[in-house]
Amino acid sequence: MNQNLQHILDLINESSKLSEDDKTIVHNALKKADKDLVISEFKLERTNKVKRTTAILLEETIEELEQKQAAIKQTNIALNKSLEDLKSTQAQLVQAEKMASLGELTAGIAHEIQNPLNFVNNFSEVSKELLEEMLEELQNGDTEEVNAIANDVIQNLEKIVHHGQRADGIIKGMLQHSRTNSGEKEATDINVLVDEYLRLAYHGLRSKDKTFNASLDTNYDDSVGKLNIVPQDIGRVILNLITNAFYASNEKKKELEKEPSGLNRFQPTVSITTKKENNHIEIKVSDNGNGIPKDIIAKIFQPFFTTKPTGQGTGLGLSLSYDIITAHKGELNANSTEGQGTEIIISLPIKDQDKWK
Amino acid sequence: MKILVVDDEQDVKVLFQQRFRKEIKKGELDFVFAFSGEEAIKTLETIAHEAVLILSDINMPGMSGLQLLEIIKKDYVAPPPVVMMVTAYGDEENFNTAKALGADDFLTKPVDFKLLKEKLIQKK
């Protein structure tokens, strides 16, 4: 029993003033108090134990949290690095797509340069022959013939300059196309730009695939005139849309040729239309290919989405086109009917243009 | 004999007129020009009674040189004109197609005018 309680019990036992009955009552009460005290002490001890355990647990938890925080910091650093890597990869892919579309152009460009170059060579050679003849005629004293030859030579030199400039223009366009950083906005004749890239796309595909053949249906609105745009960027969009259109209509032709009915009269046709509306210019490229299924059409402007076989498309063409048109404050929209064909419409604002004039 | 030159490049006419200046002057060679396959067919109709040698480019907008060749060899039964094909793509496929369609000769751009001159005088 508790010492203090024992002391009280001893005093009461020795007391003569209390009856035996009262002593028994106090004795019992003291015993009860002692028991309660023991229980309370036990409970206190238990609480203390829990407290110590909790403190240990808390310390452990704090340590764990600190470790986790450090790990998160590491992860963040790694994530930032990944993001930078992704950005640089994306930039590389964009450049790769530019170069890929340049590859599509190369054959077309080669064909477009071959002709003026042949003229430069031929007119140079023939002019040399003419001048040799002129020397002979000078000795003969035939002034009339000398004059005629001199005029021919002058005409030839003009032709050489003309065809030299023609080749120069093509090369300049090609260099602009492959430039890494975006070019400057300049007033550009939309119909001329569209036609130039249409020819390049056509010759490019034709030289890659000799069986390739498609009807071209061009419909240029003369009132379209000039717009302030980055010509090589919009040119890239047009090239991409036209190449896609040729591809789609040609795929349909190949499919139909496999069918037993054989003698189909399907003629792959690509149409390009320019049109001036109230506040914008429309460039529409349509084909008579197989069209785009409804469940896919929402995805066509997403990066890396392609329906071409692996290795044949980067899936970046339309996504880049979308970015370029958006950067020009314009819109790029697609309409398609399965089995009938697809039309892609570029819409560029005229409104904004006044500022640039 | 008339030589019909078919090419979509307008300057081909001036070039031929100068390259064969002497021959034209002496009346040894007689050239006519067409700037598309369609125009060539029309020109042929106007000179149907004359002997003609055709020198055609392959890669032209609209009717290609190979389509023109096919039409000429099918439609002109007796005797079909001599057709020489000229192309910027000196490749097997065009060569074989042209031969299969009945081309009599095949030239690649840039045209060797010395060789062409020899061939034209020979076939005259």
Side-chain angles (χ1 to χ4, degrees):
Chain A
M1 188 183 270
N2 180 283
Q3 267 186 344
N4 294 319
L5 291 178
Q6 190 63 52
H7 190 57
I8 294 169
L9 192 61
D10 290 346
L11 282 175
I12 286 168
N13 279 338
E14 285 159 19
S15 169
S16 53
K17 288 175 187 166
L18 286 171
S19 69
E20 279 305 307
D21 282 350
D22 286 342
K23 277 185 187 173
T24 309
I25 289 167
V26 173
H27 190 225
N28 283 340
L30 280 174
K31 265 192 175 167
K32 177 96 179 19
D34 182 58
K35 202 179 160 195
D36 286 351
L37 194 63
V38 168
I39 289 169
S40 293
E41 275 175 353
F42 172 75
K43 279 186 178 169
L44 188 66
E45 174 62 19
R46 207 175 52 184
T47 309
N48 277 337
K49 255 191 197 165
V50 170
K51 205 175 122 190
R52 280 198 301 274
T53 316
T54 310
I56 291 166
L57 274 176
L58 207 61
E59 259 174 44
E60 277 175 11
T61 310
I62 288 170
E63 206 176 304
E64 219 170 288
L65 275 175
E66 277 171 351
Q67 275 173 10
K68 280 189 179 158
Q69 202 179 13
I72 286 172
K73 264 188 195 163
Q74 286 292 323
T75 311
N76 254 340
I77 292 168
L79 271 175
N80 271 328
K81 170 121 187 10
S82 297
L83 189 66
E84 269 169 38
D85 285 354
L86 264 176
K87 276 184 186 162
S88 119
T89 309
Q90 197 184 21
Q92 281 172 24
L93 275 170
V94 168
Q95 185 61 15
E97 168 65 25
K98 280 186 190 176
M99 297 319 280
S101 66
L102 184 66
E104 273 163 20
L105 282 183
T106 313
I109 288 167
H111 175 266
E112 290 290 304
I113 292 176
Q114 183 74 65
N115 279 342
L117 204 57
N118 286 344
F119 278 122
V120 168
N121 289 333
N122 275 314
F123 280 118
S124 304
E125 278 173 35
V126 87
S127 296
K128 182 176 167 269
E129 285 170 18
L130 283 174
L131 288 175
E132 281 163 2
E133 236 178 273
M134 193 165 123
L135 285 178
E136 282 172 30
E137 298 299 345
L138 271 174
Q139 290 196 334
N140 295 344
D142 188 343
T143 332
E144 202 181 317
E145 194 61 15
V146 168
N147 268 329
I149 293 173
N151 280 327
D152 276 356
V153 172
I154 289 170
Q155 186 196 26
N156 287 356
L157 292 177
E158 279 164 2
K159 299 255 176 239
I160 289 167
V161 170
H162 167 75
H163 288 287
Q165 281 169 347
R166 198 174 139 197
D168 187 56
I170 295 161
I171 304 255
K172 280 213 177 90
M174 186 176 81
L175 290 178
Q176 266 186 349
H177 186 88
S178 63
R179 258 207 315 239
T180 317
N181 37 351
S182 235
E184 295 288 313
K185 275 191 175 175
E186 53 189 89
T188 309
D189 190 314
I190 297 295
N191 289 339
V192 171
L193 185 79
V194 169
D195 203 55
E196 183 185 329
Y197 276 90
L198 171 65
R199 276 186 300 120
L200 289 176
Y202 185 74
H203 288 306
L205 286 170
R206 183 114 185 205
S207 64
K208 259 197 269 179
D209 176 5
K210 297 295 175 315
T211 62
F212 172 79
N213 189 16
S215 293
L216 295 177
D217 189 5
T218 55
N219 196 347
Y220 301 135
D221 177 355
D222 287 337
S223 67
V224 164
K226 289 185 175 182
L227 269 189
N228 255 303
I229 53 163
V230 183
Q232 68 268 32
D233 280 357
I234 298 294
R236 190 173 300 133
V237 175
I238 293 164
L239 174 75
N240 183 253
L241 299 186
I242 291 172
T243 311
N244 285 351
F246 279 140
Y247 181 84
S249 50
N250 209 37
E251 283 298 296
K252 184 172 180 180
K253 186 185 168 209
K254 280 190 201 161
E255 249 172 57
L256 288 173
E257 275 168 357
K258 278 183 207 150
E259 282 176 16
S261 55
L263 292 165
N264 65 79
R265 292 195 160 265
F266 179 74
Q267 173 68 24
T269 305
V270 171
S271 317
I272 295 104
T273 308
T274 59
K275 201 166 59 174
K276 187 178 179 181
E277 296 285 350
N278 279 338
N279 53 2
H280 66 273
I281 299 286
E282 256 184 35
I283 306 166
K284 187 167 76 183
V285 179
S286 36
D287 63 68
N288 61 348
N290 276 324
I292 307 167
K294 278 206 177 88
D295 55 323
I296 282 178
I297 200 156
K299 295 183 195 164
I300 59 168
F301 296 125
Q302 287 175 9
F304 307 113
F305 180 80
T306 180
T307 57
K308 288 184 185 171
T310 313
Q312 286 195 25
T314 59
L316 285 173
L318 278 179
S319 147
L320 274 177
S321 298
Y322 188 86
D323 291 348
I324 290 169
I325 298 301
T326 314
H328 280 79
K329 295 192 173 67
E331 281 180 32
L332 192 62
N333 292 300
N335 301 319
S336 189
T337 316
E338 270 197 80
Q340 302 280 310
T342 303
E343 58 175 35
I344 310 266
I345 302 161
I346 305 171
S347 175
L348 293 168
I350 306 172
K351 221 179 169 183
D352 215 42
Q353 302 290 321
D354 293 333
K355 275 192 248 167
W356 300 93
K357 272 176 191 165
Chain B
M1 184 185 63
K2 277 202 161 64
I3 299 159
L4 172 61
V5 181
V6 192
D7 200 311
D8 59 311
E9 294 271 4
Q10 303 275 337
D11 279 348
V12 161
K13 183 178 177 179
V14 185
L15 184 66
F16 269 75
Q17 283 170 340
Q18 295 196 2
R19 281 286 191 181
F20 297 101
R21 195 169 169 273
K22 280 184 196 161
E23 290 76 11
I24 294 170
K25 214 170 143 191
K26 287 182 206 155
E28 287 173 3
L29 293 173
D30 183 9
F31 287 97
V32 269
F33 297 88
F35 301 109
S36 71
E38 291 86 349
E39 200 189 327
I41 300 274
K42 277 188 199 154
T43 310
L44 278 174
E45 280 163 10
T46 64
I47 51 172
H49 55 284
E50 287 178 69
V52 178
L53 183 146
I54 296 161
L55 195 65
S56 175
D57 187 25
I58 287 186
N59 199 359
M60 294 183 288
M63 185 190 291
S64 79
L66 292 175
Q67 285 171 305
L68 174 68
L69 170 67
E70 195 175 6
I71 292 169
I72 292 168
K73 290 292 177 184
K74 256 193 214 152
D75 292 358
Y76 293 77
V77 194
V82 175
V83 183
M84 294 169 82
M85 301 305 293
V86 191
T87 178
Y89 309 135
D91 64 303
E92 284 288 302
E93 210 172 321
N94 270 332
F95 179 84
N96 292 334
T97 314
K99 278 281 171 200
L101 289 173
D104 301 276
D105 212 337
F106 201 79
L107 293 169
T108 50
K109 280 183 184 175
V111 172
D112 181 343
F113 277 90
K114 245 186 198 166
L115 185 76
L116 177 62
K117 201 175 280 185
E118 280 167 23
K119 284 186 175 185
L120 290 180
I121 302 227
Q122 200 179 30
K123 284 190 171 117
K124 206 172 65 145

